């Protein structure tokens, strides 16, 4: 069984590795980079590009063998010329160059890289192309945001694949009986199989699993000598009985599942005691929603694989815009007596002060916790979810006017305050 | 003064050249390829791609030094993923590979390839990039169809430039005082300067010329030793006093003007006796309108330049869909007496027969004139411009029903017939 370790800010040297680097795969893992998210927001337009570039820099600095992406590289199936250009520029800058490729890809690439609708005229990994000098190959599945669409179903990864900048895999020709042919890598004594499955509608994939119509094709020769990774991009959290993929659906021979789509960063491997595999959920590199989970420190991972063992090294990203999410219960700040005795104007002043103090505290915290990286933006994202149940007088609270005073300090003034009420009419307990 | 020759189907060997090939530039010239034109038309969807591929094949077969495009490579500023992918695939297939580059580019590439808005991170020609193995460099200006647009003005050529598949030049940083820095090439004893100017609104460029605010920067060292080409993409035909560029505006030191944008193929160099330069108008490689000029045989050109002389070799394209345009004057077919004596039904039968016979003749002609190239489509484009002045009874002629019988033989049944009337009420002369 694999024995994972995971250390924050671990030094990138290989001292703790059980073997010499000629036998150890080093793989940069990141997912849900959402290039193009908030592209039209003056403040946040570059956030997705900056974080993705940091991942590429880490990959280069730590001299990884390759980069593995878990889908949603792009926020849209049809990214703007600007976003596509910036992505191409980044990949050309960081992934082409002189560097010996220290591993082999021995699976049938015609199968791995044949895409759905039209034949791929370059059915081989980019680093094997004699016309391209690839230093760091990128392998990627698609997500639901950048999934194949159109009359000739294509996604931006197809474009990057044709450019020779990304090796796009896990796009299946049939959804009736799914056969997944892994990428089979070899590095010294380590054999690594990576199974990829681009995003499919959850209900559909759920049904396919229930019907046992999904088949991970293991190498017939010494199948137990392979370290097995499955990269998927689906709901991990149940949003209903069938629109997620339960972990127990996944095959027990797997060693690691890399789970894309879920944006909460859970980069530390989580052991599924039933299935006996680890799940790694890298999370997004840019907060695409103001939900609580997006405020977790975001990471890239450096996965080391040696024979049947692995280690996951976490790399906290230094350039991601800070995000603070806070739940406020007004009843914790204004008691029933005050509510009944104070004038509306006084109560509004009280609310204003509560919110202002909270935001100022968070702004101070953001200042202190700033990574110091020149590319980390200065203005944080802030989200206050304010439960004002029992305070009907605040129905008319003008939060648009209120947030104006923070418009120079917060990245998202207009969406900073979320006033909401519980169903019950009063929040104060009566018994 | 240059002495041009131009022979249809000339053999590609260099026997007739005045010098050894080490001194002679061979350049494939094509323009207005309009990739993506009629993309949603089942019949014609691939026409633009097929013709462009033929140009690339000619370039490869004739072992040219490079390819020069005159704008409108794409029909849209934002081509579909499908069209962008196919274009990338074609360029990767035909323009990357092992071939010694036999010429030098000696101008300041930082200036040649610095684009307008954002700095180009790869300000050098693709064949000089150590990570790319380029066999046939492509140089292109933009047209009005694929001109830079958006908040960060970008065009699809920027994407291809970033991919290292096209060298995009002639995109100016300022339209106040235009300085055009040429690409300066050297091959053996031949010095070649190519000035490029991407499409600008005609009225604007007209004004700039009148104000003498456009400056072609000639090499200071032996300026007369250079062969000078100017590539532009503007109206050559006057559509009004100021929305075209008169040839006499262009600089007299030029040897050749390559004129993009005009779709009529006038590949044979035309000497301007006042300006003492030749104009070459390659025309489009796909008919984007059913106008008379688009029916001319379409060509790519192989331009040979040796010192201050050149030759233009025409290469008729074999894969372009055939197009027949015909003007029909009903008065040539139905005389005044018939009009007055025959019933409406009889007259309609007569019209039907005239059109049917004409189309059948054209279909037979198309069959006989088919190039035999397996990629040339079988169904021709046909356009009958029918002047029915004097035949008001045909106002209600149902051409939609009429054309149905040809829907399996003609590529454009719905637009095949264009019934029109002159202003005058009668077409028959009365004096
Ligand atoms: Mn996502
Ligand atoms: Mn997703
Ligand atoms: Mn055009
Ligand atoms: Mn044009």
């Amino acid at each position: 069984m694999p024995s994972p370790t995971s250390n924050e800010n671990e030094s990138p040297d290989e001292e703790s590795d059980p073997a010499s680097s000629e036998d150890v795969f080093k793989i940069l893992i990141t997912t849900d980079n959402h290039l193009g998210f908030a592209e039209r927001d003056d403040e946040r337009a570059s956030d997705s590009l900056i974080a993705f570039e940091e991942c590429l820099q880490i990959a280069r600095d730590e001299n990884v063998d390759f980069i593995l992406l878990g889908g949603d590289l792009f926020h849209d199936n049809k990214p703007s010329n600007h976003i596509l250009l910036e992505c191409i520029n980044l990949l050309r800058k960081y992934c082409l160059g002189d560097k010996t490729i220290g591993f082999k890809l021995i699976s049938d690439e015609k199968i791995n890289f044949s895409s759905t609708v039209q034949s791929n005229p370059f059915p081989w990994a980019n680093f094997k192309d004699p016309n391209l000098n690839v230093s760091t190959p990128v392998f990627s599945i698609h997500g639901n945001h950048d999934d194949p669409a159109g009359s000739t179903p294509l996604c931006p990864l197809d474009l990057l694949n044709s450019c020779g900048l990304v090796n796009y895999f896990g796009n299946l020709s049939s959804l009736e009986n799914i056969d997944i042919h892994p990428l089979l890598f070899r590095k010294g004594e380590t054999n690594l199989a990576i199974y990829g499955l681009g995003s499919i509608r959850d209900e559909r994939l759920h049904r396919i699993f229930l019907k046992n119509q999904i088949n991970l094709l293991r190498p017939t020769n010494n199948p137990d000598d392979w370290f097995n990774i499955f990269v998927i991009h689906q709901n991990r959290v149940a949003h209903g009985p069938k629109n997620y993929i339960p972990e127990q659906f996944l095959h027990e021979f797997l060693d690691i599942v890399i789970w894309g789509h879920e944006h909460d960063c859970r980069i530390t491997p989580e052991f599924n005691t039933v299935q006996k595999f680890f799940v790694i959920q890298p999370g997004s590199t840019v907060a695409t929603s103001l939900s609580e989970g997006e405020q977790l420190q975001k990471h890239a991972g450096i996965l080391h694989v040696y024979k049947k063992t692995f280690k996951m090294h976490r790399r906290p990203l230094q350039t991601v815009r800070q995000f603070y999410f806070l739940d406020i219960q007004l009843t914790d700040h204004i008691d029933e007596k005050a509510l009944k005795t104070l004038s509306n104007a006084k109560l509004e002043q009280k609310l204003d002060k509560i919110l202002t103090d909270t935001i100022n505290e968070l702004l101070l915290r953001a200042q202190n916790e700033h990574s110091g990286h020149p590319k980390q933006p200065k203005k944080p994202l802030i989200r206050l979810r304010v439960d004002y149940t029992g305070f009907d007088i605040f129905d008319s609270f003008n939060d648009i006017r209120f947030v104006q005073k923070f418009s120079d300090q917060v990245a998202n003034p207009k969406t900073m305050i979320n006033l909401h009420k519980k169903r019950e009419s009063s929040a104060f307990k009566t018994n």
Side-chain angles (χ1 to χ4, degrees), chain A residues 93-232:
Chain A
K93 179 176 174 189
Y94 288 98
C95 301
L96 298 191
D98 288 328
K99 204 189 95 184
T100 311
I101 302 292
F103 64 91
K104 284 183 179 135
L105 176 58
I106 60 174
S107 48
D108 184 344
E109 291 160 89
K110 278 200 194 68
I111 295 171
N112 292 146
F113 301 119
S114 74
S115 102
T116 325
V117 172
Q118 56 198 90
S119 59
N120 175 355
F122 312 105
W124 50 80
N126 63 348
F127 64 92
K128 294 192 184 179
D129 193 296
N131 297 323
L132 301 170
N133 192 32
V134 174
S135 57
T136 311
V138 177
F139 295 88
S140 184
I141 62 168
H142 66 258
N144 56 316
H145 277 267
D146 51 6
D147 67 328
S151 57
T152 315
L154 285 173
C155 71
L157 295 172
D158 284 298
L159 296 178
L160 297 179
N161 190 80
S162 281
C163 296
L165 293 170
V166 161
N167 302 293
Y168 173 31
F169 74 116
N171 183 14
L172 300 170
S173 50
S174 159
L175 291 182
E176 289 313 308
N177 273 287
I178 297 184
D179 282 340
I180 303 186
H181 298 259
L183 298 162
L184 298 178
F185 298 98
R186 182 165 289 157
K187 190 177 181 188
E189 299 186 14
T190 302
N191 294 313
L192 172 63
I194 300 188
Y195 298 82
L197 179 59
S199 170
I200 300 177
R201 207 161 47 80
D202 285 297
E203 290 82 352
R204 186 161 189 182
L205 185 57
H206 193 104
R207 197 164 54 235
I208 289 167
F209 268 109
L210 285 180
K211 287 188 189 164
N212 263 320
Q213 286 178 343
I214 183 162
N215 193 13
L216 272 56
L217 293 154
R218 301 180 67 183
T220 46
N221 208 4
N222 305 320
D224 296 330
D225 287 352
W226 293 81
F227 189 89
N228 299 298
I229 296 177
F230 194 11
V231 194
I232 61 171

Side-chain angles (χ1 to χ4, degrees), chain A residues 383-413:
Chain A
R383 178 72 154 192
L384 303 185
R385 192 165 57 179
V386 183
D387 180 356
Y388 75 109
T389 315
F391 294 85
D392 293 347
I393 50 150
F394 294 143
D395 280 344
S396 57
F397 178 72
N398 190 336
D399 56 326
I400 291 162
R401 205 187 52 203
F402 168 80
V403 298
Q404 273 172 5
K405 57 182 161 181
F406 295 103
S407 61
D408 288 339
Q409 297 163 274
V410 174
N412 64 323

